[in-house]
Amino acid sequence: MLYIVFPSILIILLFIYRLQKRRVSKEIQSQIRSDKVNRLSSQLHFPAKQNEHSIKIQQIKYNIENACVVNYNTNKDQEFNYKITEKVPFKEFNARLYQYIDSADKLQEILQNLYRYNVLGIDLENHHLNSYNGFLCLIQITTPNYETYLIDCLKLREDVKTYLGAIFESSNTLKVFHGCVNSDIAWLQRDFGFATVNVFDTQEAYKKLFKGQRVSLLHLWQTYCKDRVKITKDQKNQFQQADWSARPLTKEMLDYAAHDSHYLIYIALRLQQNFENQNKLQELDEVCKEVNEKTVNAKYALRQDQFKPDETYKVQFRKIVDGFDPNNEEFLKIEFIFKGIYNLRENIAEQVDKNPDELCDISTLYLLSTKKPLSYIETRKVLDEAGKQTNSIFRQVIENFCIEIQQRLDDFPKNMDAMIQHYKSQPNQGLNSQQERLRLKEERKKKIIKHYSCKKVVYENCKMFSPDGELLSNCDFKKAQWYIERELADQISSDPFTIKLRFEPNGRGQPKPLEELYDDNFYVTDRENKCVNCGSEKDYSRFHVIPTLYRQSFPDELKSHRSHDVVLLCFTCHEKASREQDNLKKQLAEKYNIPLNDHNPNKLINLHIQQINRVASTLKKASFRLPDEKRATLQKNLIELFLEKKEQLLPLIPDDLKGVIETEEINNEFIMFCYNLPPTRLSNKDKQNPHGKILVDKILGEDRMSDFIKLWRTHFIKTMEPKFLPWGWSVDHTIERSFGVFSKFARKEDEQENHK
DNA sequence: AACTTGCAAGTGCCTCGCCG
DNA sequence: CGGCGAGGCACTTGCAAGTT
């Protein structure tokens, strides 16, 4: 009897427990709907508390508002002078040159010194790990006399706000930053409400001067201070990501922080000299103006304002998930759960004032969505198995995650049709611009694969025999058909479609080198219509084992009628193979000192024209809603762009619009002309990257083409390890091929041979 | 680890001229 | 006539490098 009663009781107890759990879930659910903040404070096992250094949201909002008003009222139309007149000779970093400022008295003491100068080098250290919105920890200011002050913003937040605002907002003091537009300026706004103006950005200036990409401060140190800066790349990365909210800061950290601002003014000066030497001071002025326009219009965006519960998770989810299959129930379920715990993570992070990624990283969220653990123990197991580290806060909220997962499982719609419909109606709804971009990207990728993969069967493997029955080669159906229609051949089989020529083809009977006889086997072997790398029979396209960049500069006898070095690859393998090719190209470029980058002036002018198109497009499309000031600058830009490349562009302007350039008064016709201005046609010579031809010529001169071709074949085999290459494909496949004596590809010496 | 950005490069398709 | 490669076109991508 006991054997029956006891298990029954257990089952009943379990049932009650389960019911209880469900009840809790429902309660939570109603709370989610009523108030997410409420729900969390009642569910979390520890009180929500702010990071002691964090700034209250109300304060941040007030700061931003304040900075924007100041910018609008006083800086909107202001012109600044970006010229540095001080003489600042190079001076090596020295730890005795900096002071740590951590009291209001010290701050007030240095103020007078700071106000003496017209230029200051400034860098900031922000902390974002242990805080939802982040906060500034340190301000480094260096004077032209190389006095550096490290100001502790944690201790002195109110004092900084009181005493330093005048410097950041001053039109008399030029502030030298490195890469400040998206970060530093916004942080100063967030933490202190500063409307920073009159800024010189060394990164932007360098970019303009060398028409290059963004450069690191490290690069500038190496360029302008040679080997006298004693900080390595590793050290820089390490310190950049250090916890700057820690107190006291270590000696190494202080040294590093002081380094960051120490050389800024010197570098700015050197840049200014560079511009001056090239007679381009005006360009420097333009860059500064651009940067300052951005600082004036900067507005710090609160993380919680950017977060949208129905959208933000999607971006992350699509990045981490393999493929996308709205017809697969499990897939939909995983996304449904991911959304739940992603949003929960965001809410908790906001409540406990932590960086969401620090609380729990995305890959862990995804792991939990797939494994769906419903208890602390299960979660632990899942995390341990995957080797995931957890921090203490996350351990404290695991129960909440489990409840949420259970909740999402309960809420997952039973009716799949409705869900799929929902999906299909989704893409265009409620996506912000970034997500919309991502969605379009996905769609485009699909389109690209469809567009670029071969539409028809590449190898039809029809056979062509000589009159005496020797297999000559494979060919496609169309060609075989052509011979039959002309009564030049007879069909002797239909599967595979096989023909026998009625005439003796040219080029046979001549003695051939042994290896070429072997290679002929390659040309009579069936070639399969699938990726030679992975065997996929879908979405393949041709791939050139020797990059076209080089191959196009080969002499005819090396490239004509060669199918050996063209293979089929599926889209994925194609991408990989191209990347691998790029690596080797770079190595070759370095080895032979032939740069891959192309500075062809004819190409550069097209970049310029693109810029003109863009400015004109803005003027055409948005002119009516632009502020007068902004419209005027754009119009000015347009003229300046023309003047910059006057010699090339002036001939393109119709006569009746030429006056515009002289009077600088822009009319609609001129804007439309700029909008429609086409890029100059590039001749094929201009299109060709000179690197390819130069290298090939060099190799040809050294008579090492054979090695060069084999190098690429070997590289392909080594990096891809293709498993489905056609029979007979070989790295040693002959490089040159014999042609009939009348062929234009026949070499001169062959011709002479024939004449004898 | 996450995000942003400009550049270089390569795709299929089309047309052309050459060859057999 | 059909194959072939080159030249031209329109289009997009991945990568590298920057920031914290």
Side-chain angles (χ1 to χ4, degrees), chain A residues 93-121:
Chain A
F93 174 80
N94 177 340
R96 274 168 304 182
L97 290 171
Y98 69 80
Q99 276 184 55
Y100 189 66
I101 308 295
D102 60 349
S103 75
D105 290 346
K106 284 188 196 164
L107 183 61
Q108 287 181 45
E109 261 172 50
I110 64 166
L111 270 183
Q112 240 187 340
N113 196 29
L114 291 181
Y115 279 115
R116 275 176 49 205
Y117 299 106
N118 290 324
V119 57
L120 295 170

mmCIF file of all heavy atoms in Angstrom, chain A residues 93-121:
data_model
loop_
_atom_site.group_PDB
_atom_site.id
_atom_site.type_symbol
_atom_site.label_atom_id
_atom_site.label_comp_id
_atom_site.label_asym_id
_atom_site.label_seq_id
_atom_site.Cartn_x
_atom_site.Cartn_y
_atom_site.Cartn_z
ATOM 1 N N PHE A 93 58.524 62.939 -22.606
ATOM 2 C CA PHE A 93 57.705 62.744 -21.407
ATOM 3 C C PHE A 93 58.587 62.472 -20.199
ATOM 4 O O PHE A 93 59.608 61.803 -20.290
ATOM 5 C CB PHE A 93 56.754 61.564 -21.621
ATOM 6 C CG PHE A 93 55.971 61.216 -20.384
ATOM 7 C CD1 PHE A 93 54.853 61.957 -20.044
ATOM 8 C CD2 PHE A 93 56.374 60.185 -19.549
ATOM 9 C CE1 PHE A 93 54.126 61.652 -18.900
ATOM 10 C CE2 PHE A 93 55.659 59.881 -18.406
ATOM 11 C CZ PHE A 93 54.541 60.620 -18.080
ATOM 12 N N ASN A 94 58.135 63.022 -19.084
ATOM 13 C CA ASN A 94 58.899 62.869 -17.858
ATOM 14 C C ASN A 94 57.898 62.880 -16.710
ATOM 15 O O ASN A 94 57.059 63.770 -16.610
ATOM 16 C CB ASN A 94 59.851 64.063 -17.750
ATOM 17 C CG ASN A 94 60.647 64.026 -16.462
ATOM 18 O OD1 ASN A 94 60.270 63.365 -15.489
ATOM 19 N ND2 ASN A 94 61.755 64.735 -16.478
ATOM 20 N N ALA A 95 57.974 61.884 -15.856
ATOM 21 C CA ALA A 95 56.956 61.718 -14.813
ATOM 22 C C ALA A 95 56.909 62.920 -13.859
ATOM 23 O O ALA A 95 55.905 63.153 -13.204
ATOM 24 C CB ALA A 95 57.222 60.440 -14.028
ATOM 25 N N ARG A 96 57.997 63.688 -13.811
ATOM 26 C CA ARG A 96 57.977 64.839 -12.899
ATOM 27 C C ARG A 96 57.131 65.992 -13.447
ATOM 28 O O ARG A 96 56.875 66.966 -12.766
ATOM 29 C CB ARG A 96 59.407 65.325 -12.658
ATOM 30 C CG ARG A 96 60.104 64.581 -11.529
ATOM 31 C CD ARG A 96 61.561 64.919 -11.554
ATOM 32 N NE ARG A 96 62.133 64.616 -12.855
ATOM 33 C CZ ARG A 96 63.418 64.778 -13.156
ATOM 34 N NH1 ARG A 96 64.246 65.280 -12.283
ATOM 35 N NH2 ARG A 96 63.881 64.456 -14.348
ATOM 36 N N LEU A 97 56.709 65.846 -14.719
ATOM 37 C CA LEU A 97 55.993 66.959 -15.343
ATOM 38 C C LEU A 97 54.500 66.975 -15.018
ATOM 39 O O LEU A 97 53.812 67.919 -15.335
ATOM 40 C CB LEU A 97 56.164 66.904 -16.859
ATOM 41 C CG LEU A 97 57.566 67.238 -17.375
ATOM 42 C CD1 LEU A 97 57.661 66.944 -18.850
ATOM 43 C CD2 LEU A 97 57.869 68.702 -17.096
ATOM 44 N N TYR A 98 53.999 65.892 -14.428
ATOM 45 C CA TYR A 98 52.552 65.913 -14.179
ATOM 46 C C TYR A 98 52.195 65.958 -12.696
ATOM 47 O O TYR A 98 52.955 65.504 -11.852
ATOM 48 C CB TYR A 98 51.831 64.758 -14.887
ATOM 49 C CG TYR A 98 52.095 63.365 -14.359
ATOM 50 C CD1 TYR A 98 51.438 62.905 -13.213
ATOM 51 C CD2 TYR A 98 52.931 62.487 -15.039
ATOM 52 C CE1 TYR A 98 51.629 61.621 -12.761
ATOM 53 C CE2 TYR A 98 53.136 61.198 -14.589
ATOM 54 C CZ TYR A 98 52.490 60.765 -13.439
ATOM 55 O OH TYR A 98 52.680 59.500 -12.990
ATOM 56 N N GLN A 99 51.017 66.539 -12.449
ATOM 57 C CA GLN A 99 50.511 66.643 -11.071
ATOM 58 C C GLN A 99 49.150 65.981 -11.015
ATOM 59 O O GLN A 99 48.356 66.119 -11.944
ATOM 60 C CB GLN A 99 50.264 68.110 -10.724
ATOM 61 C CG GLN A 99 51.439 68.893 -10.255
ATOM 62 C CD GLN A 99 50.954 70.292 -9.874
ATOM 63 O OE1 GLN A 99 50.043 70.444 -9.071
ATOM 64 N NE2 GLN A 99 51.553 71.300 -10.481
ATOM 65 N N TYR A 100 48.891 65.309 -9.934
ATOM 66 C CA TYR A 100 47.573 64.708 -9.755
ATOM 67 C C TYR A 100 46.715 65.684 -8.955
ATOM 68 O O TYR A 100 47.091 66.092 -7.855
ATOM 69 C CB TYR A 100 47.719 63.376 -9.004
ATOM 70 C CG TYR A 100 46.442 62.577 -8.958
ATOM 71 C CD1 TYR A 100 45.889 62.062 -10.126
ATOM 72 C CD2 TYR A 100 45.806 62.326 -7.741
ATOM 73 C CE1 TYR A 100 44.726 61.321 -10.086
ATOM 74 C CE2 TYR A 100 44.632 61.577 -7.701
ATOM 75 C CZ TYR A 100 44.105 61.077 -8.866
ATOM 76 O OH TYR A 100 42.951 60.349 -8.827
ATOM 77 N N ILE A 101 45.599 66.083 -9.529
ATOM 78 C CA ILE A 101 44.759 67.095 -8.879
ATOM 79 C C ILE A 101 43.538 66.417 -8.274
ATOM 80 O O ILE A 101 42.669 65.951 -9.005
ATOM 81 C CB ILE A 101 44.291 68.156 -9.895
ATOM 82 C CG1 ILE A 101 45.479 68.727 -10.668
ATOM 83 C CG2 ILE A 101 43.479 69.243 -9.200
ATOM 84 C CD1 ILE A 101 46.452 69.492 -9.831
ATOM 85 N N ASP A 102 43.494 66.322 -6.958
ATOM 86 C CA ASP A 102 42.349 65.645 -6.353
ATOM 87 C C ASP A 102 41.705 66.440 -5.227
ATOM 88 O O ASP A 102 41.006 65.889 -4.400
ATOM 89 C CB ASP A 102 42.750 64.242 -5.871
ATOM 90 C CG ASP A 102 43.852 64.307 -4.828
ATOM 91 O OD1 ASP A 102 44.427 65.408 -4.645
ATOM 92 O OD2 ASP A 102 44.144 63.272 -4.212
ATOM 93 N N SER A 103 41.990 67.741 -5.208
ATOM 94 C CA SER A 103 41.269 68.563 -4.227
ATOM 95 C C SER A 103 40.893 69.896 -4.864
ATOM 96 O O SER A 103 41.547 70.343 -5.815
ATOM 97 C CB SER A 103 42.156 68.818 -2.993
ATOM 98 O OG SER A 103 43.136 69.772 -3.326
ATOM 99 N N ALA A 104 39.826 70.468 -4.350
ATOM 100 C CA ALA A 104 39.330 71.716 -4.918
ATOM 101 C C ALA A 104 40.399 72.806 -4.832
ATOM 102 O O ALA A 104 40.541 73.630 -5.730
ATOM 103 C CB ALA A 104 38.067 72.157 -4.181
ATOM 104 N N ASP A 105 41.186 72.774 -3.748
ATOM 105 C CA ASP A 105 42.227 73.783 -3.600
ATOM 106 C C ASP A 105 43.244 73.700 -4.728
ATOM 107 O O ASP A 105 43.590 74.686 -5.362
ATOM 108 C CB ASP A 105 42.956 73.593 -2.253
ATOM 109 C CG ASP A 105 42.051 73.968 -1.092
ATOM 110 O OD1 ASP A 105 40.998 74.607 -1.379
ATOM 111 O OD2 ASP A 105 42.370 73.616 0.050
ATOM 112 N N LYS A 106 43.707 72.453 -4.949
ATOM 113 C CA LYS A 106 44.703 72.270 -6.010
ATOM 114 C C LYS A 106 44.132 72.702 -7.348
ATOM 115 O O LYS A 106 44.828 73.315 -8.159
ATOM 116 C CB LYS A 106 45.119 70.797 -6.093
ATOM 117 C CG LYS A 106 46.066 70.354 -4.988
ATOM 118 C CD LYS A 106 46.553 68.938 -5.291
ATOM 119 C CE LYS A 106 47.180 68.292 -4.058
ATOM 120 N NZ LYS A 106 47.307 66.840 -4.219
ATOM 121 N N LEU A 107 42.882 72.378 -7.563
ATOM 122 C CA LEU A 107 42.254 72.720 -8.848
ATOM 123 C C LEU A 107 42.256 74.230 -9.031
ATOM 124 O O LEU A 107 42.589 74.753 -10.091
ATOM 125 C CB LEU A 107 40.831 72.158 -8.906
ATOM 126 C CG LEU A 107 40.081 72.376 -10.214
ATOM 127 C CD1 LEU A 107 40.801 71.704 -11.373
ATOM 128 C CD2 LEU A 107 38.656 71.836 -10.133
ATOM 129 N N GLN A 108 41.873 74.922 -7.968
ATOM 130 C CA GLN A 108 41.834 76.386 -8.071
ATOM 131 C C GLN A 108 43.218 76.977 -8.282
ATOM 132 O O GLN A 108 43.387 77.963 -8.986
ATOM 133 C CB GLN A 108 41.203 76.969 -6.812
ATOM 134 C CG GLN A 108 39.713 76.732 -6.784
ATOM 135 C CD GLN A 108 39.056 77.333 -5.554
ATOM 136 O OE1 GLN A 108 39.348 78.466 -5.191
ATOM 137 N NE2 GLN A 108 38.194 76.569 -4.909
ATOM 138 N N GLU A 109 44.222 76.317 -7.687
ATOM 139 C CA GLU A 109 45.587 76.800 -7.845
ATOM 140 C C GLU A 109 46.039 76.772 -9.301
ATOM 141 O O GLU A 109 46.715 77.682 -9.765
ATOM 142 C CB GLU A 109 46.548 75.916 -7.043
ATOM 143 C CG GLU A 109 46.937 76.490 -5.699
ATOM 144 C CD GLU A 109 47.711 75.460 -4.907
ATOM 145 O OE1 GLU A 109 48.677 74.882 -5.464
ATOM 146 O OE2 GLU A 109 47.326 75.206 -3.744
ATOM 147 N N ILE A 110 45.675 75.680 -10.018
ATOM 148 C CA ILE A 110 46.182 75.555 -11.384
ATOM 149 C C ILE A 110 45.347 76.353 -12.382
ATOM 150 O O ILE A 110 45.768 76.579 -13.509
ATOM 151 C CB ILE A 110 46.222 74.081 -11.848
ATOM 152 C CG1 ILE A 110 44.804 73.496 -11.896
ATOM 153 C CG2 ILE A 110 47.126 73.259 -10.944
ATOM 154 C CD1 ILE A 110 44.735 72.203 -12.657
ATOM 155 N N LEU A 111 44.165 76.798 -11.952
ATOM 156 C CA LEU A 111 43.268 77.467 -12.888
ATOM 157 C C LEU A 111 43.923 78.648 -13.583
ATOM 158 O O LEU A 111 43.886 78.785 -14.794
ATOM 159 C CB LEU A 111 42.024 77.962 -12.147
ATOM 160 C CG LEU A 111 40.865 76.985 -12.075
ATOM 161 C CD1 LEU A 111 39.689 77.639 -11.392
ATOM 162 C CD2 LEU A 111 40.491 76.500 -13.459
ATOM 163 N N GLN A 112 44.579 79.448 -12.774
ATOM 164 C CA GLN A 112 45.188 80.659 -13.316
ATOM 165 C C GLN A 112 46.186 80.321 -14.413
ATOM 166 O O GLN A 112 46.246 80.970 -15.444
ATOM 167 C CB GLN A 112 45.909 81.405 -12.202
ATOM 168 C CG GLN A 112 45.341 82.779 -12.016
ATOM 169 C CD GLN A 112 46.160 83.565 -11.030
ATOM 170 O OE1 GLN A 112 46.911 83.003 -10.218
ATOM 171 N NE2 GLN A 112 46.008 84.866 -11.088
ATOM 172 N N ASN A 113 46.942 79.251 -14.165
ATOM 173 C CA ASN A 113 47.916 78.823 -15.154
ATOM 174 C C ASN A 113 47.222 78.400 -16.448
ATOM 175 O O ASN A 113 47.651 78.745 -17.545
ATOM 176 C CB ASN A 113 48.755 77.682 -14.581
ATOM 177 C CG ASN A 113 50.014 77.465 -15.399
ATOM 178 O OD1 ASN A 113 50.516 78.424 -15.998
ATOM 179 N ND2 ASN A 113 50.495 76.246 -15.441
ATOM 180 N N LEU A 114 46.121 77.656 -16.289
ATOM 181 C CA LEU A 114 45.408 77.169 -17.474
ATOM 182 C C LEU A 114 44.878 78.332 -18.311
ATOM 183 O O LEU A 114 44.933 78.311 -19.537
ATOM 184 C CB LEU A 114 44.244 76.261 -17.065
ATOM 185 C CG LEU A 114 44.620 74.908 -16.471
ATOM 186 C CD1 LEU A 114 43.371 74.107 -16.126
ATOM 187 C CD2 LEU A 114 45.500 74.115 -17.430
ATOM 188 N N TYR A 115 44.388 79.346 -17.643
ATOM 189 C CA TYR A 115 43.797 80.485 -18.356
ATOM 190 C C TYR A 115 44.844 81.300 -19.117
ATOM 191 O O TYR A 115 44.525 82.061 -20.003
ATOM 192 C CB TYR A 115 43.039 81.394 -17.381
ATOM 193 C CG TYR A 115 41.659 80.865 -17.063
ATOM 194 C CD1 TYR A 115 41.324 80.461 -15.774
ATOM 195 C CD2 TYR A 115 40.680 80.787 -18.063
ATOM 196 C CE1 TYR A 115 40.066 79.976 -15.483
ATOM 197 C CE2 TYR A 115 39.423 80.303 -17.775
ATOM 198 C CZ TYR A 115 39.115 79.895 -16.474
ATOM 199 O OH TYR A 115 37.885 79.415 -16.208
ATOM 200 N N ARG A 116 46.123 81.109 -18.751
ATOM 201 C CA ARG A 116 47.178 81.886 -19.408
ATOM 202 C C ARG A 116 47.358 81.511 -20.866
ATOM 203 O O ARG A 116 47.858 82.285 -21.664
ATOM 204 C CB ARG A 116 48.516 81.641 -18.691
ATOM 205 C CG ARG A 116 48.754 82.514 -17.496
ATOM 206 C CD ARG A 116 50.049 82.105 -16.825
ATOM 207 N NE ARG A 116 51.152 81.974 -17.782
ATOM 208 C CZ ARG A 116 52.214 81.198 -17.578
ATOM 209 N NH1 ARG A 116 52.301 80.463 -16.487
ATOM 210 N NH2 ARG A 116 53.171 81.137 -18.464
ATOM 211 N N TYR A 117 46.997 80.266 -21.193
ATOM 212 C CA TYR A 117 47.353 79.761 -22.525
ATOM 213 C C TYR A 117 46.210 79.838 -23.530
ATOM 214 O O TYR A 117 45.040 79.758 -23.165
ATOM 215 C CB TYR A 117 47.827 78.307 -22.422
ATOM 216 C CG TYR A 117 49.048 78.153 -21.566
ATOM 217 C CD1 TYR A 117 48.955 77.602 -20.284
ATOM 218 C CD2 TYR A 117 50.298 78.581 -22.025
ATOM 219 C CE1 TYR A 117 50.072 77.458 -19.489
ATOM 220 C CE2 TYR A 117 51.424 78.443 -21.231
ATOM 221 C CZ TYR A 117 51.312 77.890 -19.957
ATOM 222 O OH TYR A 117 52.416 77.757 -19.187
ATOM 223 N N ASN A 118 46.590 79.960 -24.799
ATOM 224 C CA ASN A 118 45.587 79.958 -25.865
ATOM 225 C C ASN A 118 45.344 78.558 -26.415
ATOM 226 O O ASN A 118 44.490 78.352 -27.245
ATOM 227 C CB ASN A 118 46.051 80.851 -27.019
ATOM 228 C CG ASN A 118 46.006 82.296 -26.603
ATOM 229 O OD1 ASN A 118 45.110 82.700 -25.849
ATOM 230 N ND2 ASN A 118 46.976 83.066 -27.063
ATOM 231 N N VAL A 119 46.187 77.615 -25.979
ATOM 232 C CA VAL A 119 46.009 76.254 -26.481
ATOM 233 C C VAL A 119 46.332 75.248 -25.378
ATOM 234 O O VAL A 119 47.252 75.441 -24.584
ATOM 235 C CB VAL A 119 46.877 76.013 -27.740
ATOM 236 C CG1 VAL A 119 48.336 76.282 -27.462
ATOM 237 C CG2 VAL A 119 46.698 74.598 -28.275
ATOM 238 N N LEU A 120 45.506 74.176 -25.319
ATOM 239 C CA LEU A 120 45.715 73.122 -24.322
ATOM 240 C C LEU A 120 45.497 71.761 -24.988
ATOM 241 O O LEU A 120 44.650 71.630 -25.870
ATOM 242 C CB LEU A 120 44.715 73.265 -23.164
ATOM 243 C CG LEU A 120 44.830 74.513 -22.293
ATOM 244 C CD1 LEU A 120 43.614 74.611 -21.376
ATOM 245 C CD2 LEU A 120 46.122 74.493 -21.483
ATOM 246 N N GLY A 121 46.291 70.769 -24.581
ATOM 247 C CA GLY A 121 46.067 69.404 -25.058
ATOM 248 C C GLY A 121 45.217 68.657 -24.046
ATOM 249 O O GLY A 121 45.486 68.725 -22.847
#
